[in-house]
Amino acid sequence: AWAFAKAEHKVPTLFTALANASEGRMHEFKPQELANTAWAFATAEHSAPMLFVTLACASEERLHEFKPQELANTVWAFATAKHSAPTLFAALA
């Protein structure tokens, strides 16, 4: 997803498939992978509400492992995607 978003190559079917495949595996993602996934979907402007719900939960559980840049990218992605994650943002405060 990151490479396609970085290249500004929008492939909705790919992003939908990646969202569906990722949702059940978020617990396996490292903080950088969580941040990159959020960034890619926000950058590609691909709506995936359930993915962002899952990303928020997984990120909140591992917040203490995030580096500052990963936190910044994650917050930016949620804001850009206009996805509210009050519990995640409260944990960041």
Side-chain angles (χ1 to χ4, degrees):
W2 181 88
F4 279 86
K6 182 74 176 164
E8 298 179 8
H9 188 71
K10 295 180 182 180
V11 185
T13 54
L14 172 68
F15 277 88
T16 298
L18 288 171
N20 292 338
S22 299
E23 288 169 11
R25 302 187 71 177
M26 285 292 164
H27 64 281
E28 298 173 20
F29 284 35
K30 296 177 182 128
Q32 183 177 4
E33 295 163 342
L34 293 167
N36 287 352
T37 301
W39 181 90
F41 277 79
T43 299
E45 300 175 344
H46 186 83
S47 179
M50 285 310 301
L51 175 78
F52 275 91
V53 167
T54 308
L55 277 166
C57 291
S59 297
E60 186 180 345
E61 291 171 4
R62 303 186 74 173
L63 211 49
H64 64 282
E65 298 174 36
F66 275 68
K67 294 177 184 166
Q69 186 64 55
E70 294 161 350
L71 287 174
N73 290 353
T74 301
V75 169
W76 175 88
F78 274 81
T80 299
K82 295 179 175 57
H83 185 84
S84 176
T87 308
L88 173 61
F89 280 82
L92 287 167

